[in-house]
Amino acid sequence: MAKVDFYLLTSRQPQIRERFACKLTEKAYRLGHRIYIQVEDQEQAQKMDDLLWTFRQGSFVPHALMNTEEASETPVLIGYGGEPESEMDLLINLCAEVPRFFSHFPRVAEIIDQDENNRHAGRQRYRDYRDQGCSLETHELSI
């Protein structure tokens, strides 16, 4: 069963969830992992695509949107509405609900910021993962 890490962010900075997702993606990529970032829709996918190029000066995280020509050759995919066709090591979930395919990943990352709606949805996802028998760990981060 998947190991799920909940990252609780205390900062109220704009786009803090997405920026932390970029940092986490970069770290996992440098460790040789393949990462899938699950987002809500095309608009959020495009924002994450842009942010991965610009979140930190000097960073390089090769990535592609799912269902594009580059997707099969890229270690980081951004998608919505479905799961990646290739095997991935880490699922970073930026959606309000638990992806139905989460159990296909050995690791899942959930990022919770100070937005009340996100915190409420995060609590529900925590219960859902717990009910599925996942190993859960919480990390409170002051960033």
Side-chain angles (χ1 to χ4, degrees), residues 72-123:
S72 64
E73 306 161 8
T74 308
V76 177
L77 293 178
I78 304 166
Y80 59 94
E83 67 181 293
E85 293 178 9
S86 59
E87 189 172 312
M88 309 295 272
D89 304 307
L90 172 64
L91 166 64
I92 298 176
N93 183 34
L94 295 176
C95 293
E97 297 180 2
V98 173
R100 68 185 183 289
F101 52 83
F102 82 91
S103 62
H104 299 164
F105 293 80
R107 301 281 307 258
V108 178
E110 290 282 350
I111 305 168
I112 313 298
D113 62 10
Q114 293 296 309
D115 176 77
E116 191 55 41
N117 291 331
N118 187 27
R119 290 171 61 86
H120 177 73
R123 286 184 201 104

Side-chain angles (χ1 to χ4, degrees), residues 12-63:
R12 295 187 183 274
Q13 294 176 21
Q15 291 188 321
I16 191 65
R17 285 180 74 217
E18 292 83 0
R19 289 185 177 285
F20 182 77
C22 290
K23 290 178 184 179
L24 189 61
T25 299
E26 181 181 43
K27 182 178 180 180
Y29 163 70
R30 288 181 181 218
L31 291 171
H33 298 295
R34 295 180 46 84
I35 302 103
Y36 180 65
I37 304 171
Q38 172 78 5
V39 296
E40 295 281 358
D41 53 31
Q42 176 65 36
E43 182 181 344
Q44 190 180 21
Q46 192 59 57
K47 285 180 184 177
M48 282 303 299
D49 181 42
D50 294 342
L51 194 57
L52 276 167
W53 291 119
T54 62
F55 80 97
R56 189 174 66 78
Q57 189 168 344
S59 70
F60 176 71
V61 179
H63 64 280

